[in-house]
Amino acid sequence: MENIIASLDKIVLDPKYHDLLCIVKGVRNGVVYGSKIRFSHALVMTFLFRNGTIKSKLKLVLNATKEHARNLGTFVFIYKATLYILKKTHEKEQPTDTLIAGLLGGYFVFGRGGKSSVNQQIVLYVFSRVVLGLSKLAVEKRVIPSISDEIGNTVYPIFASVCWGLVMYLFRTDPQVLQVSMKNSMDYIYLDSNYWTNLRTLLWHNK
């Protein structure tokens, strides 16, 4: 047994297999990370804001966890496999390779994969980070002037105000356009708090 393990260790440490094994390890890490991050989030959100039996709630949690893990794992596979193919095609990595690989993975996994609540949350999360990252990059590259702390302290409250003003307006007028988990959270906070039948449903139980 020890000889088999030693032989396998020798194979996985062989530089000629490194690029291919990066794909395997990437898929593994995508699945594990997706499982960890989604399970805890889905568990809390489902048991706080969804109605139904414990069995039905657990099924929702497990399905969401499975989807998140599968999608991240699949994205990593497409991304790293595309990088591998492109590198073999022109013998060394090009600056645009990561963009091409990301576009392909994003299209097939999160675009063609369906507009589920899990996919929407992931894409919206990535989108907000991309916008923030691009704004920071624009300042670093001097495309836009740097904002002083004094101006930033003035702009941020306006930004926060506009975000919350718009989301509350949409929630009031067209709540169906909001992401499902956000709408459920806002229903709980802003609508359910308008109704109760006794002291118990006022202070202890929502309904």
Side-chain angles (χ1 to χ4, degrees), residues 28-46:
R28 179 262 179 203
N29 284 5
V31 170
V32 171
Y33 182 81
S35 299
K36 286 182 177 180
I37 201 75
R38 178 55 58 176
F39 180 79
S40 56
H41 177 269
L43 187 68
V44 172
M45 297 301 289
T46 300

Side-chain angles (χ1 to χ4, degrees), residues 23-92:
I23 299 173
V24 175
K25 182 68 182 286
V27 172
R28 179 262 179 203
N29 284 5
V31 170
V32 171
Y33 182 81
S35 299
K36 286 182 177 180
I37 201 75
R38 178 55 58 176
F39 180 79
S40 56
H41 177 269
L43 187 68
V44 172
M45 297 301 289
T46 300
F47 277 85
L48 278 180
F49 302 117
R50 291 293 186 101
N51 296 320
T53 63
I54 292 178
K55 183 178 179 181
S56 66
K57 289 180 178 179
L58 284 174
K59 186 177 180 180
L60 287 171
V61 172
L62 292 176
N63 285 340
T65 302
K66 179 183 175 183
E67 182 180 357
H68 198 142
R70 182 187 66 236
N71 287 356
L72 278 187
T74 305
F75 177 86
V76 174
F77 174 78
I78 293 174
Y79 175 77
K80 283 186 168 283
T82 302
L83 287 181
Y84 176 78
I85 293 168
L86 291 173
K87 184 179 178 182
K88 291 295 181 182
T89 301
H90 39 244
E91 297 186 353
K92 72 174 186 175

